[in-house]
């Protein structure tokens, strides 16, 4: 008896960016899932023609009408754009449209009408201009779900990278590194990796300061805050270790014995995994009541009108979501 395929909602993201393009390209390759795209059906149809893809748009009224993605039909839950987009040109008037897609996807996931959400990129700057304060999908879905702590994790074949803090100015990072937050993040990471089938994950926690503070000479947070949290958490998970100096934590030996790096802030962790795996990497939100994955890139406005974007990360994110939703360990991930 074939297993029931998971149902996935893809939010097509900023309409002037590469999100709709990579969504359509990925779906034209087929996916082992029932997939509905949330977005403007006319805009998606016009892109299909520009991209010369052999895909048909079928507007559906209900997610249950989405059939397995066989690379021929895109099932669309239609939301009209406010203004006809121009590729590469942001328009704040479409911010409410972009957020509507997220809201519907969240509702579908909360009511278990879909098993997972995959998000195409949005432009955070224009959303803040046009609609409301928006720092990222991660924070948006956490607030919508009423979850105190979620964790952004990027996963590839080479490594997994999670963050203690996400989208906040660098100057606000040290005060956000509190024992409470570190403990909550470690717990979410532990549970998240167990859900991926790693019962006793080896979590390497990075320090905040150069050389993990150099015994207090280069900052006090590593010894005073991060190290005691790790020691305490070792009672639950002895394989959580650190704090490690971030600049020397990626030797071959360390990589081979690490299930998850935990970085203190966005640009401590993400450049490393993007350098190692850009395009073959998914952004996964741990701690939500549903599966949510995303691409490893942004709206790429600089290339949007050329239609040359690679769909590889979207395909990876879709596959990761499908495997997570069915409880299968994502084989491509480390
Ligand atoms: N998941 C999301 O919603 C994300 C959204 N963003 C947002 O995207 C906007 C632009 O961010 P940037 O820092 O410029 O990063 P970006 O990822 O959009 O672009 C960085 C560089 O990578 C190239 N690139 C990105 N994706 C590509 C693809 N699929 N194929 C080929 N080339 C690709 C771009 O052309 C550009 O040269 C920002 O507003 C940011 O907040 C950024 C990351 C993730
Ligand atoms: N740099 C990662 C990023 O901006 C994606 O964040 P999110 O929108 O997935 O929260």
């Amino acid at each position: 008896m074939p297993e029931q395929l998971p149902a996935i909602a893809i939010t097509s993201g900023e309409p002037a960016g590469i999100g709709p393009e990579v969504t359509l390209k990925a779906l034209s390759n087929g996916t082992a899932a029932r997939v509905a795209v949330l977005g403007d059906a006319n805009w998606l149809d016009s892109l299909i023609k520009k991209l010369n893809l052999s895909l048909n748009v079928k507007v559906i009224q209900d997610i249950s009408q989405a059939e397995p993605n066989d690379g021929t039909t895109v099932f669309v839950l239609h939301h009209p754009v406010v203004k006809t987009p121009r590729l590469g040109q942001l328009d704040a008037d479409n911010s409410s449209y972009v957020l509507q897609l997220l809201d519907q996807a969240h509702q579908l996931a909360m009511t278990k009408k879909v098993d997972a959400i995959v998000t195409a990129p949005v432009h955070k700057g224009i959303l803040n201009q046009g609609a409301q304060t928006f720092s990222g999908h991660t924070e948006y879905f956490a607030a919508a779900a009423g979850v105190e702590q979620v964790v952004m994790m990027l996963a590839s074949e080479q490594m997994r990278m999670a963050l203690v803090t996400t989208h906040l100015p660098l100057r606000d990072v040290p005060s956000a590194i509190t024992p409470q937050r570190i403990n909550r993040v470690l717990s979410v990471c532990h549970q998240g990796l167990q859900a991926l089938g790693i019962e006793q994950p080896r979590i390497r926690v990075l320090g905040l300061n150069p050389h993990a503070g150099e015994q207090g000479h280069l900052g006090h947070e590593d010894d005073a805050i991060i190290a005691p949290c790790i020691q305490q958490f070792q009672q639950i998970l002895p394989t959580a270790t650190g704090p490690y100096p971030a600049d020397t934590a990626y030797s071959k030996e360390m990589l081979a014995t690490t299930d998850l790096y935990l970085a203190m802030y966005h640009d401590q962790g993400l450049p490393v995994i993007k350098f190692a795996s850009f395009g073959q990497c998914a952004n996964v939100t741990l701690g939500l009541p549903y599966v949510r994955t995303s691409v490893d890139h942004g709206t790429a406005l600089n290339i949007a009108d050329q239609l040359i974007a690679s769909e590889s990360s979207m395909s990876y994110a879709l596959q990761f979501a499908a495997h997570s939703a069915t409880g299968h360990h994502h084989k491509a991930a480390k």
Side-chain angles (χ1 to χ4, degrees), residues 124 136-139 152 167 266 270 283 292:
K124 298 176 181 67
H137 293 90
T138 308
E139 299 84 352
M152 185 190 293
H167 295 118
H266 189 278
L270 297 197
N283 174 348
R292 179 258 165 170

Side-chain angles (χ1 to χ4, degrees), residues 178-206:
T178 60
Q180 294 77 8
R181 184 189 284 259
I182 295 175
N183 286 332
R184 288 197 310 255
V185 167
L186 280 168
S187 289
V188 172
C189 289
H190 185 193
Q191 286 160 27
L193 289 200
Q194 283 182 326
L196 291 180
I198 307 169
E199 203 45 46
Q200 183 99 334
R202 297 160 297 179
I203 301 179
R204 277 191 201 274
V205 184
L206 304 180

Side-chain angles (χ1 to χ4, degrees), residues 18 22 119-125 137 274 278 283 292 294-303 308-311:
I18 63 168
V22 297
T119 58
V122 300
H123 193 282
K124 298 176 181 67
H137 293 90
K274 289 199 183 189
F278 193 56
N283 174 348
R292 179 258 165 170
S294 187
V295 290
D296 62 6
H297 57 80
T299 48
L301 297 172
N302 59 328
I303 58 165
I308 54 167
S310 163
E311 74 275 27

Side-chain angles (χ1 to χ4, degrees), residues 5 95 114 208 236 242 281 328:
L5 291 176
S95 298
V114 294
L208 173 67
I236 301 165
C281 185
H328 291 144

